[in-house]
Amino acid sequence: MSFAVNPACNPSLTDIRLAETILGLCACPTGHPGLYERLIDACQFFNGWDLLPRLAEVNGLGPLVHIQLKAAGVVPPSACERALKGLYVRHRHANAVREQALREILEAYSTAGIKTLVLKGAALAYLVYSQPGLRPMRDTDLLVSQSDVKSAQHILAELGYDPAFGARPLKRV
């Protein structure tokens, strides 16, 4: 597994490898004792704590790193702990807002008889993760039948969403 690292922060190769190990262990949505033991071992000699929140966010793992370290009993330095908790809270709040919007859209679509499939992150947040806020997302992907696209976009516009900014039909190939 390889994670994006900003070379400008000049971390040691050992810290980069340990950060990759920590992120890889934290990527599992559910923890278990064996995972926590490995996480504790990886953190024991880790000195790149200032790097970890940035790497976690860039790789979409901020909330998971926060809860997995906490569950393992690993207490990072306070600046790192605050940054990771901030990522957790921010994504939890953002996903709560997205959830409310999704409920509103799905209710409107249902009322209009539009069958909808929730895709990717929005679906995974509820199917795989113990808390939806653990799955960082930037958008919500919905699939409707080709015959319902115009009605679905019209409903989105009525709800105050800008069709030019988001919803776009897929082109047939």
Side-chain angles (χ1 to χ4, degrees):
M1 189 176 282
S2 180
F3 296 94
V5 176
N6 179 357
C9 63
N10 202 21
S12 74
L13 186 57
T14 300
D15 281 336
I16 291 172
R17 287 189 175 144
L18 283 172
E20 288 178 342
T21 298
I22 291 166
L23 292 177
L25 291 167
C26 290
C28 182
T30 56
H32 54 81
L35 181 140
Y36 298 142
E37 286 176 28
R38 291 178 61 204
L39 190 52
I40 291 166
D41 288 344
C43 292
Q44 200 168 21
F45 301 104
F46 183 56
N47 294 313
W49 292 104
D50 58 328
L51 172 73
L52 194 62
R54 288 184 301 228
L55 284 176
E57 180 65 3
V58 165
N59 291 287
L61 296 169
L64 281 173
V65 171
H66 170 71
I67 66 147
Q68 295 291 35
L69 289 177
K70 193 173 186 167
V74 173
V75 180
S78 61
C80 177
E81 189 171 20
R82 277 193 311 273
L84 289 171
K85 185 172 185 175
L87 293 173
Y88 169 76
V89 170
R90 183 180 62 159
H91 286 292
R92 186 180 66 194
H93 176 71
N95 282 6
V97 171
R98 279 189 192 89
E99 178 182 356
Q100 183 57 40
L102 181 59
R103 287 180 191 274
E104 179 182 43
I105 292 166
L106 292 176
E107 185 177 312
Y109 282 5
S110 178
T111 300
I114 299 173
K115 292 182 181 177
T116 310
L117 187 60
V118 180
L119 302 174
K120 298 171 27 181
L124 291 174
Y126 295 92
L127 296 172
V128 176
Y129 296 83
S130 61
Q131 307 167 38
L134 297 178
R135 175 60 164 85
M137 294 184 284
R138 283 182 236 121
D139 60 8
T140 302
D141 297 290
L142 303 174
L143 181 66
V144 298
S145 70
Q146 186 71 32
S147 61
D148 288 328
V149 168
K150 287 190 190 280
S151 297
Q153 287 182 323
H154 179 72
I155 289 169
L156 287 175
E158 285 178 346
L159 292 173
Y161 296 95
D162 182 355
F165 186 71
R168 56 195 179 275
L170 295 174
K171 294 183 180 178
R172 291 184 183 226
V173 286

